[in-house]
Amino acid sequence: MPSVLNLQTQDVDSEEKRAKYTVSIVGCGQIGILYADAFAGAGYKVTCNDENPNLLKRLTKAKNCCINHEIETRLKKHIDTGNLTTSSMRKNTVAQSDIIVLAINIRMDAKKKSDTLELEGAYKQVGTALKQGALLIYGGIGGFGSTETLLKETLENTSGLKEGKDFLLAYNPLHLPRTRPMKSLNNTELIIASANQQSLDVATIVLKTLTSKVKQTNQVKLAELATLFKGAQQDTCMALANELAFFCENTGMDYFKVQKLINDENSNFWPSIEGEENRKETCLLIESAENLNIKLRLPQLSRQINEERVKYAINLTQEALRSCDKSLRRSKVAVFGTSNQNTITAKYIEAATAKGAKVTLYELLLSKNEMVDTSPDLKRSLNETIEGADCLVILIGQEQFKRLNLKRLKTVMKKPAVLVDLIGITEPEKIQAEGFIYRGIGRGMDKL
């Protein structure tokens, strides 16, 4: 296998040349899938690895693994051409790879503090299999300063190799924007960081085969802060948007119509109770500041406002049901969301269940045959989820939910049927015209 230590632009300036290099993607979440699509599309031989067999199964079939249908279509093409394969054997996969992309994020515990155990375990697994002459790119979200301490030191200690001499290490933080659709890396500006100039140069050459939009820095902490700041900025924008949306609800106005008048298509200024991806960055930033005896007031307030949105969501659901003489207690509530733990969907289900509701959950990305032990409310199909439901709650902003067959939904739900949109993806007038009782985030009902 070719070494990438002294890689030059001419070594990877065609798909034929790039096919000589093997790439392993460790972690098959949305970030890992973006990398897999980009590298396989550029002609590299890509193997995706994850400890979750369900993720690998969906990726192997290129079905229900990504919220972007175009990316799924390309993944199937990559699999059919042999450019993309999957493996559950992490060490074997890493040992055979010239380029390793770590796409695993740090976890936050119940106290909103970083828990590095899982991340450190992944680092050790990769380190023990890391071969001399490889390039490792970290594309996940860690803490401030963690790339040059926890990651680098763990890799060197477990591999016995020296970064910059025996292997190369670079940081390429990816932040998935909440308000815009997931898009390929070909249309994304990438930040590449490494304190070692050789690592920075080689990583830049490699990533420029994926996109021409590249920013470099030899200060890794700057890149880490860029990721944390971006999440905190979006969190703050969401908090203000949520406050203004609440204002609209109580004055009979429509927040989304106000935004259309502003007409800023690139605005991040949308209300939502869906903000878990920003939660991690904001909490890591606050934690880093506390470790330095610095108090960040606005990020903390933004987090507080956004975390209160679960209570708001329950109140909006209760109000919608009360408007048609129903109560949340003993009502069947169908939820379109995610089965993942520690998400806004999980918190909503917990709160609704505590109020006496019977909750059913449908996750679009799960196949009918997948069973998730940690989500007993999860149903196998859309029909099973909504049948006999008093209320439908939308908690995830997937494009497919914009095209719901409202007539069909109404025939299987209890009358009067209630729909609560907590993402802001539906059209109130259209839903009310079909006879639904409607409530939505930022939608003042008096003027509809």
Side-chain angles (χ1 to χ4, degrees):
M1 294 183 189
S3 169
V4 299
L5 287 179
N6 299 302
L7 187 77
Q8 300 296 315
T9 301
Q10 60 267 26
D11 296 328
V12 287
D13 60 5
S14 69
E15 289 192 18
E16 183 180 359
K17 293 179 181 179
R18 294 192 283 268
K20 299 176 182 178
Y21 295 87
T22 57
V23 179
S24 63
I25 310 296
V26 180
C28 295
Q30 297 301 295
I31 289 177
I33 285 175
L34 283 177
Y35 277 116
D37 171 50
F39 274 103
Y44 296 92
K45 298 300 181 184
V46 179
T47 300
C48 289
N49 166 266
D50 199 283
E51 294 183 337
N52 185 334
N54 287 331
L55 284 180
L56 288 182
K57 183 178 179 181
R58 296 204 298 268
L59 183 54
T60 301
K61 296 180 179 180
K63 186 177 181 181
N64 298 325
C65 62
C66 176
I67 61 176
N68 186 311
H69 179 68
E70 291 182 4
I71 293 178
E72 277 195 347
T73 300
R74 290 199 300 270
L75 289 174
K76 187 175 188 311
K77 179 181 177 182
H78 302 328
I79 292 170
D80 291 342
T81 59
N83 276 14
L84 179 62
T85 58
T86 62
S87 173
S88 60
M89 303 177 68
R90 179 163 297 171
K91 291 183 179 180
N92 287 351
T93 301
V94 170
Q96 298 173 29
S97 299
D98 307 297
I99 302 167
I100 302 102
V101 179
L102 268 170
I104 300 176
N105 291 331
I106 196 169
R107 286 186 179 273
M108 307 301 294
D109 63 22
K111 297 181 179 179
K112 294 181 275 189
K113 299 297 181 183
S114 58
D115 181 356
T116 63
L117 287 178
E118 181 183 24
L119 199 58
E120 190 173 0
Y123 292 169
K124 289 179 178 179
Q125 289 178 326
V126 171
T128 55
L130 190 65
K131 72 170 185 174
Q132 190 166 8
L135 165 66
L136 190 140
I137 298 172
Y138 180 54
I141 298 171
F144 178 55
S146 65
T147 304
E148 295 178 303
T149 53
L150 179 62
L151 175 55
K152 179 182 174 181
E153 292 173 5
T154 302
L155 291 175
E156 289 185 335
N157 291 337
T158 53
S159 68
L161 303 174
K162 185 71 175 177
E163 192 272 330
K165 177 184 176 182
D166 302 311
F167 72 95
L168 304 179
L169 174 63
Y171 180 45
N172 172 224
L174 286 189
H175 178 87
L176 300 180
R178 178 183 66 89
T179 56
R180 292 186 295 277
M182 179 182 180
K183 61 182 181 179
S184 71
L185 295 190
N186 306 98
N187 301 312
T188 303
E189 185 175 73
L190 301 181
I191 297 173
I192 306 171
S194 181
N196 178 276
Q197 190 61 45
Q198 185 181 6
S199 295
L200 184 61
D201 291 341
V202 172
T204 300
I205 290 171
V206 169
L207 292 175
K208 275 189 173 181
T209 64
L210 310 184
T211 178
S212 60
K213 304 174 183 178
V214 170
K215 289 183 178 179
Q216 283 184 321
T217 177
N218 57 9
Q219 293 183 272
V220 178
K221 287 183 179 179
L222 282 182
E224 291 171 335
L225 284 182
T227 306
L228 301 185
F229 283 7
K230 192 168 186 177
Q233 287 168 355
Q234 289 191 0
D235 214 18
T236 302
C237 286
M238 187 197 302
L240 180 55
N242 282 333
E243 292 284 270
L244 298 181
F246 185 71
F247 175 88
C248 287
E249 290 168 27
N250 286 274
T251 56
M253 305 305 294
D254 189 318
Y255 179 89
F256 295 89
K257 291 180 179 179
V258 174
Q259 282 296 303
K260 284 184 179 180
L261 290 179
I262 296 173
N263 196 30
D264 184 359
E265 295 181 357
N266 296 318
S267 172
N268 288 328
F269 214 53
W270 298 106
S272 178
I273 70 166
E274 178 192 32
E276 292 304 296
E277 71 279 14
N278 297 321
R279 171 183 181 269
K280 184 169 296 181
E281 286 96 321
T282 306
C283 290
L284 283 171
L285 180 60
I286 293 171
E287 181 181 46
S288 298
E290 290 175 345
N291 291 337
L292 297 169
N293 294 318
I294 300 170
K295 186 175 182 179
L296 297 178
R297 293 173 294 175
L298 188 54
Q300 288 180 326
L301 179 59
S302 298
R303 262 296 83 214
Q304 180 183 341
I305 291 171
N306 290 332
E307 287 173 0
E308 290 173 352
R309 299 304 280 176
V310 175
K311 181 179 179 181
Y312 155 84
I314 294 296
N315 289 340
L316 194 62
T317 306
Q318 288 179 312
E319 194 275 327
L321 287 166
R322 279 197 299 267
S323 71
C324 56
D325 298 322
K326 294 183 180 182
S327 66
L328 185 57
R329 184 175 181 81
R330 291 187 295 275
S331 286
K332 180 178 178 181
V333 178
V335 172
F336 291 171
T338 173
S339 61
N340 294 335
Q341 294 179 312
N342 302 316
T343 63
I344 207 72
T345 301
K347 293 175 183 177
Y348 177 89
I349 291 175
E350 181 182 4
T353 303
K355 292 283 187 179
K358 181 181 179 181
V359 180
T360 57
L361 171 64
Y362 177 67
E363 180 175 356
L364 189 65
L365 292 184
L366 289 181
S367 68
K368 294 181 180 180
N369 295 323
E370 283 183 295
M371 298 298 295
V372 180
D373 295 334
T374 55
S375 299
D377 304 306
L378 186 69
K379 299 302 179 182
R380 291 174 180 261
S381 67
L382 177 62
N383 274 346
E384 187 180 358
T385 306
I386 64 174
E387 187 175 5
D390 297 279
C391 177
L392 169 61
V393 177
I394 301 178
L395 273 165
I396 190 166
Q398 293 174 330
E399 287 293 318
Q400 290 88 335
F401 294 141
K402 291 183 179 180
R403 302 186 294 273
L404 290 171
N405 187 329
L406 297 173
K407 292 184 183 295
R408 182 167 166 272
L409 287 178
K410 191 178 175 184
T411 59
V412 297
M413 293 178 66
K414 286 184 181 178
K415 309 296 187 300
V418 176
L419 191 150
V420 178
D421 179 6
L422 296 169
I423 303 297
I425 66 170
T426 56
E427 299 177 23
E429 292 88 348
K430 181 179 178 181
I431 292 171
Q432 288 186 312
E434 292 294 339
F436 282 83
I437 303 297
Y438 176 87
R439 292 295 184 274
I441 185 171
R443 310 284 193 178
M445 301 306 299
D446 293 344
K447 301 296 180 179
L448 288 176

